[in-house]
Amino acid sequence: MASYCSIWIACMCLFNVLVVRMASAQLSPTFYSLTCPDALTTIKSAVDSAVSNETRMGASLLRLHFHDCFVNGCDASVLLDDTANFTGEKTAAPNNNSLRGFEVIDTIKSQVETLCPGVVSCADILALAARDSVVALGGPNWTVSLGRRDSTTANFSAANSDLPGPSFNLSALIASFANQGFSANELVALSGSHTVGLARCVVFRDRIYNETNIDSQYAESLRTMCPIVGGDDNLSPLDVTSPTYFDNAYYTNLESEMGLLHSDQQLFNGGSTDDQVIIYGSNSTTFFTDFASAMVKMGDLSPLTGTNGEIRTNCRKINEDSIFYLLAASK
């Protein structure tokens, strides 16, 4: 019986890997070369402008892609607004009053629609904007395969359950990333995205007042802008050393017990990921290489391709013909 179960589990794992590979094999870096040759330069220009206007926007656009892909795959479901008959993912606990950058995606989509109406998906825009944001902040480049299509639905409950949270301990983080097919080393690499961006007082208050694995002077400085009561929306850099540059300082901060979030410091807290943190902290080239590889893998999470999904005209809502189809199917 045990042997049969082992074989069954191995077969199911192989099946899941093959499904992901078959889907990602339909993606191509040159997908828009003929249908919208100026799409990539247009998107990069818009991202560069947005990051130049507000450095924080680079981290916000990167986070949008992450929060999209971890819920039902990279299908732009995170961009859908709520309607009278539809609840999207924006108001799920990990996203509500937290995700930002939607207006930048709207601007990019409008520009691309002017160039090539109905050709470039919102999901591909998210993937490209994430890469271009990292590059704009001084981080690594990578090749983004394209051809994703947009979902006609979202998953509010999965957004609440599948996204790792700032209070997660190491085992929960490892399990959350493993559910998406990532190793513990890839978890550490992707967490390096916290070398840029800001976090709200409400998500790190408990750490700075109640945890002991935090540098005392760092905790004291954070308490001045994050009181025990009030100030929930006050912001602090995730990387106190170089908050506007994409580098490996996040990891050296962890080694000094200056991780802002509980989940950050869990990566260097006497556990199985300590060694990987040290490697990335001492070698930015290794971090950049591993981060880029993990981002490629994340972009390949369950994309809609072929005739699945649609190319939304407006990233915030599904196309009118899809609405009529879905209403008819529900009757």
Side-chain angles (χ1 to χ4, degrees), residues 74-311:
C74 307
D75 60 1
S77 59
V78 73
L79 301 177
L80 290 171
D81 285 340
D82 292 352
T83 69
N85 302 307
F86 178 88
T87 302
E89 297 164 15
K90 291 180 178 179
T91 55
N95 299 334
N96 196 32
N97 297 319
S98 176
L99 282 188
R100 56 197 302 275
F102 299 108
E103 294 80 7
V104 174
I105 298 300
D106 291 340
T107 297
I108 295 172
K109 179 61 174 174
S110 178
Q111 293 176 0
V112 173
E113 282 295 301
T114 299
L115 286 176
C116 320
V119 173
V120 181
S121 70
C122 302
D124 278 346
I125 290 174
L126 283 177
L128 288 165
R131 188 271 310 275
D132 294 341
S133 292
V134 171
V135 172
L137 295 172
N141 199 347
W142 62 90
T143 300
V144 178
S145 291
L146 303 164
R148 299 168 190 81
R149 289 168 65 84
D150 302 323
S151 67
T152 55
T153 186
N155 195 327
F156 176 84
S157 61
N160 276 314
S161 62
D162 293 356
L163 290 164
S167 63
F168 275 25
N169 60 25
L170 181 59
S171 60
L173 288 169
I174 291 174
S176 177
F177 277 75
N179 286 340
Q180 303 292 345
F182 292 108
S183 67
N185 283 357
E186 289 168 329
L187 152 67
V188 179
L190 288 172
S191 296
S193 61
H194 283 185
T195 190
V196 290
L198 305 172
R200 297 162 65 219
C201 162
V202 69
V203 301
F204 61 83
R205 176 182 285 120
D206 186 66
R207 169 160 166 73
I208 65 175
Y209 285 100
N210 298 313
E211 297 184 11
T212 57
N213 60 340
I214 184 170
D215 178 85
S216 58
Q217 291 184 332
Y218 178 54
E220 185 61 32
S221 69
L222 290 170
R223 291 174 192 144
T224 63
M225 51 72 61
C226 183
I228 293 179
V229 178
D232 285 2
D233 292 330
N234 292 347
L235 299 171
S236 181
L238 288 158
D239 171 1
V240 68
T241 305
S242 51
T244 60
Y245 295 97
F246 196 100
D247 55 23
N248 65 335
Y250 168 79
Y251 300 104
T252 57
N253 289 339
L254 295 184
E255 293 178 68
S256 301
E257 293 191 327
M258 292 195 297
L260 181 64
L261 306 182
H262 173 83
S263 56
D264 288 328
Q265 197 59 56
Q266 284 292 294
L267 300 180
F268 191 82
N269 193 43
S272 60
T273 55
D274 281 15
D275 288 346
Q276 198 64 34
V277 169
I278 294 172
I279 289 171
Y280 291 153
S282 63
N283 193 322
S284 61
T285 300
T286 299
F287 163 52
F288 276 21
T289 299
D290 289 357
F291 179 82
S293 295
M295 287 298 295
V296 170
K297 182 173 178 178
M298 190 174 75
D300 285 343
L301 289 177
S302 305
L304 297 172
T305 57
T307 58
N308 295 317
E310 65 179 14
I311 306 297

